[in-house]
Amino acid sequence: MTVTMVLFGLLAVAAAAGCVRLGLWQLDRLQERRTKNALVRSRSEAPVVSVSTLRGQDTSVIHWRRVRVHGVADYGAEMVHATRSQNGSPGVHLLTPVRPIDGDWSDTAVLVLRGFLAAADGRTIDWNSTREGDTLTFDALVTSFPVSTRS
């Protein structure tokens, strides 16, 4: 056997060992994903509760919980998450703060992702067409989204 054949054999064994290790890593990830999916399923299938009952709870415990929100929309503080797309169409996600009526929520609002609106430039919408009335009642899933910090 030549040195080249030995080196090639060692390289093949190392590559095979690396592939086996990556396969085991993928199986670990699959189990983590199944565990998370089971948690999301159990929380989303739980009975709907008023959002006021969750006030002050750890967000990791209420993530993916179904809640009923009854509150007043603050259309003056509405925002858009610009440059979104849906089925290839440009648009925005509409975010509306809602101040719940049940309980003591005088200093708190719930940020509600009300949905996708088509916008040709991915930024500009007709704000008046988005109003649904001052008092809203709806069911939603509690979730979180990453917050970026600017320095």
Side-chain angles (χ1 to χ4, degrees):
M1 286 198 351
T2 65
V3 173
T4 313
M5 292 292 285
V6 170
L7 288 175
F8 181 72
L10 290 174
L11 180 63
V13 168
C19 289
V20 167
R21 178 63 192 121
L22 288 173
L24 293 173
W25 172 66
Q26 284 294 322
L27 289 174
D28 287 342
R29 288 189 60 223
L30 173 63
Q31 186 54 44
E32 290 172 6
R33 189 67 183 165
R34 285 180 174 162
T35 302
K36 181 179 179 185
N37 287 346
L39 175 69
V40 169
R41 188 177 316 105
S42 69
R43 288 185 181 171
S44 64
E45 290 173 352
V48 177
V49 296
S50 172
V51 73
S52 62
T53 63
L54 303 179
R55 185 179 173 105
Q57 289 190 25
D58 182 4
T59 55
S60 66
V61 175
I62 62 173
H63 196 221
W64 297 115
R65 210 37 232 270
R66 289 183 343 156
V67 295
R68 176 157 294 129
V69 179
H70 178 67
V72 178
D74 184 359
Y75 294 119
E78 214 165 28
M79 301 169 269
V80 294
H81 189 195
T83 61
R84 305 287 95 200
S85 68
Q86 184 170 309
N87 298 327
S89 298
V92 300
H93 284 157
L94 185 60
L95 302 165
T96 305
V98 175
R99 298 194 184 281
I101 296 173
D102 9 349
D104 178 27
W105 289 78
S106 58
D107 63 342
T108 306
V110 176
L111 189 60
V112 178
L113 172 59
R114 290 180 46 217
F116 177 84
L117 291 173
D121 63 357
R123 297 180 183 278
T124 310
I125 61 168
D126 176 16
W127 290 97
N128 293 326
S129 68
T130 66
R131 306 298 191 256
E132 296 183 58
D134 291 334
T135 304
L136 304 174
T137 301
F138 54 90
D139 290 349
L141 284 177
V142 175
T143 189
S144 63
F145 53 92
V147 177
S148 62
T149 56
R150 297 181 184 178
S151 42

